């Protein structure tokens, strides 16, 4: 059984920063992808950023230059550093871990950015 536990998130004013963390435990295949998705009210869940274990990263255009994803492979942990936050970044952020046909999700972390 694989579990993802998120931490971080909260309320911040526009222009501020937050950091999300996600620690995975259980039977995890070594060649995996970890990342972050978000879902705003009334909108579909969308990819924010992802990272392979080898360090290849991918970002949504809306967060490029502001958000940074990083991994600590030995701890099966992924981070999302969010800078220059905007009200449009307000959403529930979900940690993701996947390989082959397997996908796992964190419990979700609310991020609210006020103007």
């Amino acid at each position: 059984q694989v579990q993802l536990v998120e931490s971080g998130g909260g309320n911040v004013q526009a222009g501020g920063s937050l950091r999300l963390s996600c620690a995975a435990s259980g039977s995890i295949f070594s060649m995996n992808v970890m990342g972050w998705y978000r879902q705003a009210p009334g909108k579909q869940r969308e990819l924010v950023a992802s990272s392979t274990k080898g360090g290849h990263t991918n970002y949504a255009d809306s967060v490029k230059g502001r958000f940074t994803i990083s991994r600590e492979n030995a701890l099966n942990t992924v981070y999302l550093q969010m800078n220059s936050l905007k009200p449009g970044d307000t959403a529930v952020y979900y940690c993701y871990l996947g390989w082959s046909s397997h996908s796992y999700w964190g419990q979700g972390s609310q991020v609210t950015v006020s103007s």
Side-chain angles (χ1 to χ4, degrees), residues 42-106:
K43 295 188 177 181
Q44 290 188 331
R45 190 174 296 190
E46 63 175 0
L47 174 69
V48 176
S50 64
S51 175
T52 66
K53 197 166 187 178
H56 179 76
T57 58
N58 183 41
Y59 292 93
D61 288 342
S62 59
V63 307
K64 283 180 181 176
R66 300 188 298 122
F67 290 12
T68 302
I69 188 170
S70 60
R71 294 179 57 149
E72 200 164 354
N73 291 327
L75 299 179
N76 289 315
T77 299
V78 64
Y79 307 95
L80 185 68
Q81 178 65 43
M82 304 182 289
N83 298 329
S84 302
L85 282 160
K86 305 175 181 179
D89 295 319
T90 296
V92 177
Y93 285 70
Y94 295 92
C95 175
Y96 167 83
L97 165 66
W99 67 87
S100 185
S101 62
H102 300 267
S103 60
Y104 302 92
W105 297 90

